[in-house]
Every structure is written in structure tokens, then in C-alpha cells.
Amino acid sequence: MQYSEKVMEHFMNPRNVGVIENPDGYGKVGNPACGDIMEIFLKVDNDVITDAKFRTFGCASAIASSSISTELVKGKSIRDALQLTNKKVVEELGGLPAVKMHCSVLAEEAIKLAIENYLSKKQPQS
Amino acid sequence: MRVYLDNNATTKLDDEVFRIMTPYLTEFYGNASSLHLFSKETTDAMNGARETVADILGVSPDEIIFTASGSEADNMALRGIAKAYRNRGKHIISSSIEHHAIKNTLEDLRQDGYEITELPVDKNALVDLEALKKAIRDDTILISVMHANNEVGTIEPVEEIAKIAKAHKIIFHVDAVQTMGKIKVAPKETGIDLLSFSGHKFYGPKGIGCLYWRNGVRFAHTLTGGNQEKHRRPGTSDVASMVGLAAALKKAVANEDEEYRRESELRDYFESEILKKIPEIVINAKDVKRLAGTSSVTFKYLEGESILLSLSMKGIAVSSGSACSSDDLQASHVLLAMGIDPKFAHGTIRFSLGKYNTKEEIDYVVTTLTEIIARLRSLSPLWNEYIGAK
Ligand code: FES
């Protein structure tokens, strides 16, 4: 099993590592028993994602997937960011080994959860 | 610097062994089963290799079967006994920490109607002898336990298991792939009926294994074909590899005690250094008798593959769990059987030292590892939670 150069590059130099204090959107997926947890923090201004950060416990493709997906959603509108799929993550990474596909799914889920979290907070209290 | 610390997966072929093998890859190519003049050298070399191995093990040459790997030897042993003794019973006892060559073969036999009991192990991966005694039944035909575990290095009490097996007239098979050439293995004295091992774990070639099958133990075919290896294992004899295995074994055994001492010192040094420099780590099976070069370390709040790849980028080769299952996302069955919390089992790395490793290399590994662990932990939500809670 070998990783693409892009995966290794994002794994060794992940972008957007860290936390955002009081994020507008937050999502956490995974399970330590399975060996993976992903946390996504979003800063949103006028329905545009102005900043995204992550923390990941997991394999190289999990770290690379989180890194690339934060890159992909930064600067996007909430609507566009919701279009992010794991397929897109895999494509941007130049492919992932078959057994590692679920890491990209995890990234998609974490981003969507963070966005949903933002949207639920926006909902006017009734 | 390039540092190879994955010697339990495979070792570098010894140069001297390679030189001894070479003529049988170039000059002497006659089929060892032929009668004509071209087969003289190969037949002699094959007989010589068999005798060397038999001598070292203290067994008779006709009890030695060359195979293509340790896995094949394991397969032949388990399937052969299952077939030869099925009229006596269909119950087999093994342990929960066996190599996949055993585990998956037994799973296959289970599908064929055999009943398998997997013995539990304690936190140091030692097989539970009381559980073994309780597991024995009238229809138990075979006990198969590994000599030393490939992931954590624990050396199993095969002498005691042999006694128990003998008292109940049960065949005893030992997978000695990790111990052959590293610690003394004497099947006759110990009371082992079948023993498997392979050449590439002690600086011999890959693609050659060996199975000791005690005379008197019934044999059954698992492979059919020509009459090589006394009708027990067909296929044109790989004489070069047999010669290589024998030469490598001879050399390893001659240096066994000295190398054991050297490697355990180096390993102890490695472990004491990382314990000093890296917080929240656990060295597995530290307090039991284990292989001299094996160090299994759990780095809490991290996942093994990310450590492995980061080390690899710095020229250091290690393995996470068992090298054979790196395509498998489950935490290692050995670590789980030892009762290690699954969330920590994922963060376990096996460092396996060999005869070519030096103290300078270990120093480089310690420094590099310390940096890598700190970097990866800064990314880990689990580590940050842990630090935050402290
Ligand atoms: S995080 Fe589970 S395999 Fe990648």
C-alpha cells in the first residue's frame, strides 16, 4: 500500500491545524476505538467560511483528508461548502488506497457536521 | 541516515550466505531429482543443507521438510494433522496471539467442521496454561502455539505446553518463525512434534521455510505432485535457497548467545531513553522473557500509521502492529488479546532490532522519534483533551 505524493505532502505539512476559540461551527466524528477522530472548527461571516481548522487523531490519510478539506471549504459560502463530497477529497489528494476511503468519508462528515452545527445555531429561537 | 528496525518482518540477506548460495543460482542448475550428471552437485548440496539443519535441531534429516515459507510450513502442519487424525477427533487448541498463517488456517479448518479453542493470554501475552489444561478433551488432536510472538516478543512456555500435550498424547506443533536462530530450539528435548520456521528471519533468503515433522507422527498430504521431499512436499527443489537457509542458520546459531546479549542491551538502552524523553508511553511485555531485539511501544493518544510514516520519511523503518496486516484497519489482535485498550492499541509501534543495528542508529531514532511524537500529538484531539484535563 503506497500513498500518493499529495497525501504525503498534506500529511507531513498539514494546513490549518489547530482550534478556533468560540467557533461558529464545530463538528467531531469518529471513534477512538476505531483509531480515528476528526474535529473541525469553522469561523463563518455572512454565510461565508472565513476560517477552518482541524485536529485529527488517525492515520496519514485521515490527517491529509482533514487538511485538504479545510483548504477546500475555506472562503466558500456555506451552500458551496455543503457540496463537498468524499469523492472530491479523494480526487484532490490524487487518490487514496481502497482500504483508506473511509478516512475521506470521515472528513466529509466532519465538515458537514460543523456546517450543520453552524446552521442550527443560526436558526431563530422559537 | 537509514535505519532498519523491522527485523521481525524480514532481515537483510547476509553477504556470506549470498556468496554460498550463488553457484546454485548460476552454475549448478540441474534438477536435484534427476539422475544424470547435471544433478550431482545440486543433490549433494540439498542433502548437505538438510543434514546441517537436522544437526542443528538435533533431529534426523528425514524429519526435515523444506517448504517455500514459514506460512506454508504452518499450513502443512495444521492441515496435515487435521487430515491424518480426523478419525481420532476434530478438536484443535491454539492461542489468541498466533500469526495469521495459523489463525487463518484454523479459521478455514473451522469451516470444515473442526472445533478450535483459542487460549487466552495475560497482559504480557503469555498463554494461560490452566486454560490449556481445561480445554483438553478426548477428541483433541493438536495443540499449536507459537514459540515467540512476532509483535511483542513474548516467549511462550513451550516446554510446559509440551509436557501437558504429551501427558494427553496430543500432537504439539510450534511456530518457531521468530525464534529460530535467535534462541535455542530443540524439538526432541522439548517434546515438540512439529516445528515450522523460515529462512529470511535469520539473514537467510526469502521464499524458503522448513517444517520438522517427527518420525512417528502420521503424515497426510496437503499438496500433491512429484515425489520431492520424500513425497511430502512436491515442487522442484529450490536448492540455492535450501543451501542459503542452512548456511544462515548455522551462522546465526553460532552467534546466538552473544547476539542475544548485544541486542537486548541495545533494546534496553533504546527503551530507557524513550521512557526518559517521551511522556505517556507503555512498553509492552516489558517484564517477561522476550525476544532480545523486539520492543513494542504504545504511544498513547496517537495512531500507529502516522508514526510509522513520519519515521519512514526520516529514513527509519518500523512496523505498526504486524507488518502483514497493514492493509487491515483493525487494531492488532495480539494487543487486544493482551487487554490493551483499543484506543491505545492503535498507537503501537514495533521496533525490531537485528544484528546490523548500532548504538548510533538507536540514538538517531530516539531523537527523531521524540520530535515526531510531539508533532503528531499536537494534532491529536485526544492528546489535547488529555493535556487539557490534567
Ligand atoms: S483514520 Fe482510520 S484508517 Fe484512516
Side-chain angles (χ1 to χ4, degrees):
Chain A
M1 194 187 75
Q2 290 288 336
Y3 284 129
S4 73
E5 254 170 62
K6 194 81 182 281
V7 172
M8 285 308 285
E9 211 274 308
H10 272 268
F11 165 59
M12 291 305 286
N13 308 297
R15 332 287 199 259
N16 311 314
V17 174
V19 298
I20 296 174
E21 300 299 336
N22 309 314
D24 299 312
Y26 171 76
K28 179 173 173 182
V29 295
N31 175 350
C34 305
D36 39 44
I37 291 190
M38 239 177 240
E39 262 183 323
I40 300 278
F41 305 82
L42 300 177
K43 181 121 217 88
V44 188
D45 233 345
N46 257 331
D47 275 359
V48 171
I49 298 174
T50 53
D51 199 8
K53 289 214 180 308
F54 82 91
R55 277 200 309 215
T56 292
F57 157 76
C59 69
S61 46
I63 292 171
S65 297
S66 353
S67 166
I68 202 115
S69 18
T70 49
E71 283 285 89
L72 286 170
V73 298
K74 254 168 79 171
K76 291 246 167 71
S77 71
I78 287 295
R79 251 187 73 186
D80 288 350
L82 270 172
Q83 304 303 310
L84 180 79
T85 61
N86 84 297
K87 241 184 91 191
K88 176 85 181 148
V89 171
V90 174
E91 226 173 73
E92 289 286 327
L93 285 175
L96 276 180
V99 290
K100 297 290 186 175
M101 283 303 171
H102 92 102
C103 311
S104 64
V105 175
L106 222 55
E108 177 191 327
E109 282 171 6
I111 294 278
K112 293 207 163 138
L113 208 62
I115 296 177
E116 275 161 29
N117 172 254
Y118 161 74
L119 291 174
S120 73
K121 285 198 263 186
K122 231 183 73 168
Q123 219 88 154
Q125 234 86 64
S126 57
Chain B
M1 202 188 247
R2 275 164 71 93
V3 186
Y4 185 74
L5 293 181
D6 202 14
N7 288 279
N8 284 16
T10 195
T11 53
K12 175 185 186 298
L13 180 64
D14 184 288
D15 289 343
E16 198 186 331
V17 172
F18 177 62
R19 271 200 301 279
I20 296 172
M21 290 170 67
T22 321
Y24 302 96
L25 292 164
T26 51
E27 246 178 289
F28 307 126
Y29 53 84
N31 191 321
S33 305
S34 303
L35 282 177
H36 53 64
L37 67 163
F38 280 76
S39 71
K40 167 89 173 94
E41 288 88 355
T42 44
T43 311
D44 287 353
M46 179 172 74
N47 292 340
R50 197 183 308 279
E51 271 160 34
T52 303
V53 173
D55 265 3
I56 292 169
L57 294 185
V59 306
S60 149
D62 62 359
E63 292 175 309
I64 295 295
I65 307 169
F66 284 113
T67 64
S69 64
S71 293
E72 187 190 300
D74 283 340
N75 265 266
M76 276 179 74
L78 303 184
R79 292 183 200 281
I81 294 297
K83 192 169 163 191
Y85 288 83
R86 70 182 154 207
N87 293 331
R88 201 201 272 181
K90 290 187 128 186
H91 181 233
I92 298 172
I93 300 174
S94 185
S95 86
S96 50
I97 56 160
E98 296 300 311
H99 188 270
H100 285 108
I102 297 288
K103 245 179 117 59
N104 293 345
T105 306
L106 289 176
E107 189 44 48
D108 208 32
L109 285 170
R110 197 199 300 268
Q111 307 281 328
D112 281 346
Y114 289 82
E115 254 186 273
I116 317 293
T117 303
E118 268 192 11
L119 301 173
V121 296
D122 69 6
K123 67 175 199 319
N124 288 314
L126 278 172
V127 167
D128 186 338
L129 293 176
E130 289 312 307
L132 168 62
K133 287 179 199 156
K134 277 194 213 116
I136 291 175
R137 317 191 312 210
D138 287 344
D139 61 341
T140 308
I141 51 172
L142 172 69
I143 299 172
S144 176
V145 172
M146 68 198 331
H147 195 184
N149 182 266
N150 50 311
E151 292 188 35
V152 294
T154 304
I155 296 172
E156 300 299 334
V158 289
E159 296 80 10
E160 275 126 84
I161 299 172
K163 279 192 204 113
I164 299 169
K166 198 157 193 187
H168 291 85
K169 295 197 171 58
I170 300 168
I171 311 282
F172 181 34
H173 166 253
V174 170
D175 171 355
V177 166
Q178 289 298 340
T179 47
M180 190 58 72
K182 296 183 199 160
I183 56 175
K184 189 167 190 244
V185 184
K188 286 257 148 88
E189 276 166 47
T190 313
I192 295 167
D193 300 301
L194 288 86
L195 184 95
S196 24
F197 59 94
S198 71
H200 70 106
K201 305 284 184 179
F202 44 79
Y203 315 95
K206 294 171 183 53
I208 181 97
C210 199
L211 176 58
Y212 157 71
W213 195 292
R214 184 171 69 74
N215 282 337
V217 175
R218 234 181 285 157
F219 181 84
H221 289 284
T222 45
L223 291 172
T224 43
N227 57 7
Q228 292 87 353
E229 299 296 303
K230 290 185 67 196
H231 293 271
R232 295 172 301 191
R233 199 262 178 191
T236 302
S237 306
D238 182 351
V239 177
S241 295
M242 294 173 183
V243 167
L245 180 141
L249 185 58
K250 199 168 161 187
K251 196 166 174 181
V253 168
N255 291 319
E256 218 164 58
D257 295 343
E258 199 193 310
E259 187 53 27
Y260 190 90
R261 212 169 312 122
R262 197 191 73 87
E263 273 175 35
S264 23
E265 272 172 32
L266 205 53
R267 180 201 63 195
D268 291 349
Y269 170 69
F270 167 69
E271 291 180 349
S272 72
E273 286 299 296
I274 59 170
L275 280 168
K276 257 185 265 166
K277 301 204 162 88
I278 308 174
E280 293 301 317
I281 61 176
V282 179
I283 291 167
N284 300 304
K286 194 175 191 307
D287 302 318
V288 289
K289 227 172 94 196
R290 64 185 154 134
L291 293 170
T294 306
S295 183
S296 162
V297 186
T298 297
F299 298 89
K300 292 189 184 173
Y301 313 105
L302 287 181
E303 193 271 349
E305 191 205 76
S306 59
I307 306 172
L308 178 151
L309 286 172
S310 304
L311 284 168
S312 174
M313 297 292 282
K314 298 281 179 189
I316 301 165
V318 298
S319 99
S320 100
S322 167
C324 328
S325 54
S326 60
D327 275 351
D328 184 343
L329 303 181
Q330 300 302 314
S332 135
H333 68 281
V334 175
L335 302 170
L336 296 181
M338 292 164 73
I340 298 179
D341 185 333
K343 83 165 183 253
F344 294 140
H346 281 285
T348 303
I349 293 288
R350 176 185 73 187
F351 303 86
S352 49
L353 286 62
K355 69 172 178 178
Y356 299 114
N357 292 121
T358 62
K359 179 156 178 296
E360 289 65 53
E361 290 181 339
I362 297 300
D363 284 328
Y364 171 67
V365 173
V366 171
T367 317
T368 313
L369 187 62
T370 309
E371 288 164 17
I372 286 172
I373 298 302
R375 179 180 91 82
L376 290 173
R377 276 184 174 159
S378 72
L379 304 185
S380 162
L382 292 180
W383 174 255
N384 283 292
E385 267 165 38
Y386 164 76
I387 288 294
K390 250 187 26 168

